[in-house]
């Protein structure tokens, strides 16, 4: 699979909230964030990504993956309305970027919310490990 360019975002250099295109509840889609704005030094790369999808969004994170030029996530489901997802990117130089991205979830008839989609990560991308969550809901970090 190649990430869909129409659902890819060139992030602002400042920590402003930006948005991906809307999705229907029944959709299982890939959304990407281009990494070049985060890499300032020669040879710098983004080496790790953590994705926070709050339970209140109703969204299911199918996977998250890094390729040399973009971070891509697979999303399914969602609660109708404006939802916020936070991506934390860690660069090889130690820089860390936290970006919140909005996505609007639209209602649709015939949604297949209970069925996990078979959407696969991009070819050649490194799938990020799932987050470990503490009993109080916080994500365990090292």
């Amino acid at each position: 699979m190649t990430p869909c360019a129409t659902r890819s975002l060139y992030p602002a250099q400042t920590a402003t909230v930006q948005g991906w295109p809307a999705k229907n509840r029944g959709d299982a889609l890939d959304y990407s964030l281009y990494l070049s704005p985060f890499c300032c030094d020669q040879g710098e790369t983004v080496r790790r990504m953590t994705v926070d999808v709050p339970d209140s969004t109703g969204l299911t994170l199918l996977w998250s993956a890094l390729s040399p030029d973009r971070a891509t996530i697979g999303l399914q489901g969602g609660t109708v309305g404006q939802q916020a997802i936070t991506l934390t990117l860690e660069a090889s130089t130690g820089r860390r970027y936290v970006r919140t991205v909005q996505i609007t979830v639209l209602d649709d008839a015939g949604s297949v919310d209970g069925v996990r989609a078979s959407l696969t990560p991009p070819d050649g991308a490194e799938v990020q490990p799932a987050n470990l969550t503490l009993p109080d809901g916080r994500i365990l970090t090292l």
Side-chain angles (χ1 to χ4, degrees), residues 28-106:
L29 299 172
D30 57 307
Y31 290 89
S32 295
L33 188 67
Y34 281 99
L35 299 174
S36 58
F38 301 112
C39 298
C40 300
D41 293 340
Q42 182 73 20
E44 183 177 22
T45 60
V46 173
R47 60 183 174 109
R48 188 163 65 148
M49 170 177 56
T50 305
V51 183
D52 180 20
V53 181
D55 290 338
S56 62
T57 67
L59 292 162
T60 299
L61 177 66
L62 300 171
W63 44 260
S64 61
L66 284 174
S67 59
D69 67 335
R70 64 186 110 172
T72 305
I73 63 174
L75 293 175
Q76 175 179 337
T79 301
V80 174
Q82 189 84 341
Q83 307 302 337
I85 298 167
T86 302
L87 290 88
T88 302
L89 305 170
E90 295 180 33
S92 56
T93 57
R95 292 183 176 107
R96 180 179 8 193
Y97 300 93
V98 179
R99 294 295 183 267
T100 299
V101 182
Q102 298 280 349
I103 184 167
T104 301
V105 178
L106 307 172

Side-chain angles (χ1 to χ4, degrees), residues 3-25:
C4 182
T6 61
R7 288 186 302 279
S8 294
L9 183 65
Y10 279 98
Q13 289 288 349
T14 58
T16 59
V17 176
Q18 294 180 274
W20 278 314
K23 69 177 288 308
N24 287 332
R25 279 186 320 131

